[in-house]
Structure formats: C-alpha cells, structure tokens
Amino acid sequence: MTAEPLPLPEACVSALSAIEASPLDPGAAAEAHMKTCTACAEARIQFLAMEDSPEVLAPTGYFERLPGRILRKLPARPALHHRLGPLAWAAAAGLLMAVGAGAFLAGRANRTPYVEANLPRQPDILEVSTTDTPFHSGEEEAAQVQALSPEEMKALLERLDTTPAPTR
C-alpha cells in the first residue's frame, strides 16, 4: 500500500524553480514565499549546501596498479623468518619448555617452611599397655572409649594415672 505524494502548491513550485535557477538571488517573490514556507527555505539551504563541482575521475586502471606501486615504495623486509625452518622453531620451543620445567622442579625441591614446629611429642593415652582394659579386640580404641560407662571410665583413668608413660 504505497501512498502517492501530495501535489505541491503552485507557489512552492514557482519558488523552487527560482531557487534552482539562482539559489543566491531567487527573486523577490521567492524570497517573500520562503519567509512563510519553511519547507522551501530548507530546500534552498540544502541546494546551497550541495557541491557544484563534479566528482574527480581517476585514470583508467589507477586502483588496480595502486597496491603494486605502494609495495615497490616500501623497504624490503629481512627474510629472517624464512630462514628459520619448523625444526628450529621446534628446538626453540623444546628448549623453552625444558628450562621452564627445570625451574619449576628446582623451585619445588628447595621449598622450606617458614616456621618449623619442634614440639615434644606427647604420649597418647591409648599407647599405654591396655592388657586389662575393657576394650574388645578388633575395634578402634577411640570409639570404645566413648562407649564406656562412667564407672568403667573412672577405673580406666585411675589405672592410666598409676601406670608410667613409655618414653621414646
């Protein structure tokens, strides 16, 4: 559904013709019309803004020859990267990996802690000979201690207090 453009009023047509003929001095009638018609005043401004000079034409084949002309003017590149083959690049990569792996492993081997704790080791309660304790064989002693009754716990503690701790 295309809409037909509205026809221009006769005053606008004559003013636009005068602007097209001479945009700087369209005449008194066109000047008076442009004071009341903003569309014609804007058309005059746009007509004045357009360039009067035609486009500059390039010689035949100019753009086809341009890349070659630019490349001839550039200095020659050194062919160092062409002399190094894939074997040289692989050797360089292998050397870099070997140095990196060596440095990594050397750093891991020389790690020492900032602070070392030299506390004497306290003997554990359960390291005491427990031949006559109420523990069952095959079970963990820590789990069995929690299962003792209060009377059995008191008896165990009294036995442990009287038994000397082993020295290492």
Side-chain angles (χ1 to χ4, degrees), residues 20-147:
E20 194 173 345
S22 175
L24 293 176
D25 187 26
E31 290 281 347
H33 173 73
M34 283 188 284
K35 288 182 182 177
T36 59
C37 182
T38 57
C40 290
E42 288 178 6
R44 179 183 184 195
I45 293 170
Q46 287 179 352
F47 193 84
L48 287 171
M50 291 181 358
E51 289 185 352
D52 291 333
S53 63
E55 292 185 23
V56 179
L57 299 176
T60 306
Y62 174 80
F63 292 106
E64 289 80 17
R65 292 188 306 263
L66 185 62
R69 290 176 56 207
I70 293 172
L71 289 175
R72 280 193 307 268
K73 291 180 182 181
L74 290 175
R77 257 193 325 191
L80 175 64
H81 69 283
H82 293 296
R83 285 185 276 175
L84 294 177
L87 186 59
W89 286 111
L95 180 66
L96 184 63
M97 288 175 42
V99 168
F104 175 74
L105 293 175
R108 288 187 56 151
N110 294 329
R111 277 198 290 183
T112 56
Y114 292 118
V115 177
E116 291 186 17
N118 292 326
L119 299 175
R121 186 170 183 272
Q122 298 294 327
D124 291 337
I125 293 176
L126 299 177
E127 289 179 1
V128 178
S129 141
T130 56
T131 55
D132 57 340
T133 60
F135 298 134
H136 304 287
S137 63
E139 292 185 30
E140 286 191 36
E141 288 82 6
Q144 294 179 22
V145 168
Q146 293 175 354

